[in-house]
Amino acid sequence: MNGLMGNKTVVVMGVANERSIAWGIAKALHREGAKLIFTYRKERSAQKLRQLLEQAGIEPLLCVSCDASDDASIEAAFNEIGARAGVLHGLVHSIAFADKENLKGEYVETGRDGYLLAQQSSAYSLVAVAREARKWMTEGGSIVTQSYIGAERVVKNYNVMGVAKAALEASVRYLAEDLGKYGIRVNTVSAGPIRTLAAKGVSGFNDIMSAIEEKAPLRRNIDQDEVGDATLFLLSHLSRGVTGEVLHVDAGYHIMG
Ligand code: NDP
Ligand code: N5H
């Protein structure tokens, strides 16, 4: 067995390009010997992914399309994944979506459609994929999702996504209780801001990064590789006693008043 993840198969959802948090996670998992399966939504992401895998010399077990806001798409993807892999040991959920119009101004203006879009793509999607993935986690497993401090506190402009991340973190706890009896753990990483495609063009992103350089105990921002290593820990045997947890990978920013 080679590395921390030797003989383990992990599904990674949410690589859009080389800046994606999910790509930082995939690199860490590959380094530690995991067999990898990827899901994507847009064809553009699939093309990027294939390029990245080739450049990095990673041979995936499977790449399959999966729209996390569509139950039929999730079911079809996990049926194909199960048929190929037989057993799954890990799942990385690195997916969120909200309408740009709902990521600025006042939260009180959020309409029903925008609220539901954020919730179903960013929070319910974890519940739906956990339900499908657990069918193949017959040797126990570990599920890790990505959150942000806007789940716990009011962060300007995060608005509807803060409420979706609060639901995501509560879901992590309820899923941890449900799946614990099968030896499946469920945790989340709460990352500091990272310049990714999803973060592109959102209001206030640069100001938040500067505030962290000033205020965080480590006086710097964090990167995809640091989130990758922390997620690797939560997917590996090293974290076998940890479930239902929110692990902050944010240079310590969350402890500051
Ligand atoms: P990316 O833009 O790189 O990744 C976002 C991913 O979400 C894309 O791969 C996109 O796929 C996917 N996605 C969105 N909606 C769906 C859907 N319905 N079905 C399937 N896939 C979907 O950005 P990040 O890496 O930054 O984001 C990953 C996670 O990290 C998110 O949950 C985000 O909230 C979280 N996070 C990010 C932080 C940051 O500062 N960047 C900080 C803390 C948390 P496609 O393009 O193919 O649709
Ligand atoms: C406080 C902030 C800054 C303001 C809020 C940002 C929220 C970002 C989250 C969501 C995921 C962004 C989003 O859905 C953008 C889409 O409307 C448009 N973009 C896209 O469609 C691109 C092409 C695709 C790849 O994006 C998705 N989502 O599929 C928070 C920041 C400091 C930290 C941050 C950026 C957190 C986070 O959760 O991502």
Side-chain angles (χ1 to χ4, degrees), residues 16 41-42 44 96-100 103 148 155-158 161 165 193-194 197-199 202-205 208:
R41 179 173 58 165
K42 295 188 195 126
R44 194 181 68 155
F97 192 87
D99 192 318
K100 262 202 168 137
L103 299 169
Y148 179 63
V155 176
K156 197 170 187 298
N157 296 323
Y158 203 58
M161 189 53 72
K165 293 296 190 191
I194 300 179
L197 192 55
V202 297
S203 320
F205 184 81
I208 289 175

Side-chain angles (χ1 to χ4, degrees), residues 51-250:
Q51 259 176 31
L52 288 171
L53 290 168
E54 204 178 303
Q55 281 164 14
I58 300 175
E59 264 190 45
L61 213 53
L62 183 68
C63 292
V64 60
S65 95
C66 180
D67 180 347
S69 61
D70 175 355
D71 287 337
S73 172
I74 294 173
E75 267 178 53
F78 277 86
N79 285 342
E80 199 176 330
I81 289 168
R84 179 77 180 88
V87 179
L88 292 181
H89 304 94
L91 174 77
V92 175
H93 173 280
S94 187
I95 285 172
F97 192 87
D99 192 318
K100 262 202 168 137
E101 288 306 306
N102 295 138
L103 299 169
K104 59 185 178 195
E106 292 190 338
Y107 172 65
V108 72
E109 296 294 344
T110 309
R112 199 175 292 271
D113 287 352
Y115 183 94
L116 291 174
L117 175 65
Q119 283 285 338
Q120 68 132 339
S121 326
S122 316
Y124 184 75
S125 59
L126 176 72
V127 184
V129 297
R131 192 165 57 239
E132 290 304 313
R134 74 156 173 179
K135 293 180 185 165
W136 306 102
M137 289 186 166
T138 48
E139 299 173 358
S142 172
I143 297 174
V144 183
T145 185
Q146 298 296 322
S147 193
Y148 179 63
I149 198 168
E152 303 165 57
R153 304 184 198 163
V154 173
V155 176
K156 197 170 187 298
N157 296 323
Y158 203 58
N159 297 6
V160 74
M161 189 53 72
V163 176
K165 293 296 190 191
L168 180 75
E169 292 187 6
S171 288
V172 163
R173 293 184 281 271
Y174 280 92
L175 291 170
E177 160 57 12
D178 285 348
L179 304 186
K181 50 185 168 302
Y182 308 112
I184 301 171
R185 300 182 291 108
V186 188
N187 292 289
T188 183
V189 166
S190 182
I194 300 179
R195 216 175 288 284
T196 62
L197 192 55
K200 210 173 168 182
V202 297
S203 320
F205 184 81
N206 290 341
D207 296 344
I208 289 175
M209 282 205 117
S210 316
I212 288 181
E213 278 182 16
E214 252 171 58
K215 281 196 205 147
L218 296 179
R219 267 65 168 194
R220 64 169 178 84
N221 281 286
I222 54 106
D223 66 22
Q224 290 85 340
D225 294 334
E226 291 172 311
V227 177
D229 283 345
T231 303
L232 163 71
F233 160 73
L234 289 173
L235 289 166
S236 81
H237 175 76
L238 294 182
S239 61
R240 61 198 174 278
V242 181
T243 195
E245 185 68 297
V246 180
L247 176 57
H248 294 84
V249 181
D250 65 349

Side-chain angles (χ1 to χ4, degrees), residues 1-8 26-35 229 232 236:
M1 195 172 95
N2 292 318
L4 273 175
M5 299 299 290
N7 296 331
K8 288 193 173 166
K27 284 185 294 177
L29 289 170
H30 173 71
R31 187 186 75 222
E32 295 298 333
K35 281 184 268 179
D229 283 345
L232 163 71
S236 81

